[in-house]
Amino acid sequence: PGEAQKFFQKEFLDDRARVACLLAMTSGVRISEVLGLQREDLQSEIISVDGDDREYWWIQLTHAWTEAERLHAPKRDSRGDVPIPAKVARELLDLHAMNPWQDSYVFYGDTRGRPVNARKIRKEYQRVLMEIEIDPDVQAKRGIDDFHAWRPFYPSYEKGSATKVLRHADAE
């Protein structure tokens, strides 16, 4: 948690990378699921609990993006609703509002009709890791040298098994 806090205190050169990391950290989604996220995938509902209205947000995980397959369904075991904190939902909505193409991609790309390139997100992730002074050899040894490191990080903040939280096929 200390390193994650330091990580998000650093200035990002591309806000899409910061929000992508924040989403992955708080939900365990894969980079392809981040890139495929559409505005209509963000859902919310207000639930009254003991007279107190609470806003709940989730992602309907129905899209993924890879350069090879373009926009497609996520892995079979990843489909479904993924809860996200309201603060993260607001950041996603703000990011989508900045989309110059006004298409449905939350993580809009440099051209219309496609998301930001995964390499940009990964490169910024690695740059920020260097800024918080985690040596590349240490990153590799600890398995945090790639954006995918957010997936095993996520269950440390959630109850339940990692397979259940991360929507793995072997969760049964």
Side-chain angles (χ1 to χ4, degrees), residues 17-44:
R18 182 187 64 79
V19 178
C21 290
L22 186 62
L23 175 60
M25 182 187 78
T26 58
S27 68
V29 295
R30 297 172 172 94
I31 186 74
S32 62
E33 297 159 352
V34 167
L35 299 180
L37 186 64
Q38 310 285 297
R39 168 58 187 94
E40 60 269 17
D41 297 336
L42 295 169
Q43 304 292 317
S44 71

Side-chain angles (χ1 to χ4, degrees), residues 93-126:
L93 292 170
D94 289 348
L95 188 62
H96 181 260
M98 294 173 19
N99 182 334
W101 314 113
Q102 299 180 343
D103 58 24
S104 59
Y105 286 103
V106 173
F107 292 91
Y108 56 89
D110 297 331
T111 58
R112 181 182 308 279
R114 60 183 299 133
V116 63
N117 190 294
R119 284 188 302 275
K120 281 189 177 186
I121 303 291
R122 287 186 174 112
K123 186 176 179 180
E124 184 66 355
Y125 168 82
Q126 291 167 340

Side-chain angles (χ1 to χ4, degrees), residues 30-94:
R30 297 172 172 94
I31 186 74
S32 62
E33 297 159 352
V34 167
L35 299 180
L37 186 64
Q38 310 285 297
R39 168 58 187 94
E40 60 269 17
D41 297 336
L42 295 169
Q43 304 292 317
S44 71
E45 144 176 63
I46 304 227
I47 297 176
S48 186
V49 178
D50 297 327
D52 183 29
D53 288 343
R54 296 182 186 177
E55 186 176 33
Y56 290 91
W57 284 89
W58 67 94
I59 296 170
Q60 287 182 327
L61 201 54
T62 57
H63 300 101
W65 173 279
T66 59
E67 288 298 316
E69 296 180 65
R70 306 292 179 175
L71 190 63
H72 61 280
K75 290 184 175 185
R76 184 180 50 84
D77 58 305
S78 287
R79 297 177 191 152
D81 294 343
V82 178
I84 58 172
K87 178 188 182 302
V88 174
R90 284 188 284 282
E91 295 242 16
L92 292 167
L93 292 170
D94 289 348

Side-chain angles (χ1 to χ4, degrees), residues 30 76-77 151 161-164 166-172:
R30 297 172 172 94
R76 184 180 50 84
D77 58 305
R151 270 183 74 73
S161 74
T163 54
K164 180 180 177 192
L166 294 177
R167 303 167 329 277
H168 284 174
D170 59 356
E172 304 301 313

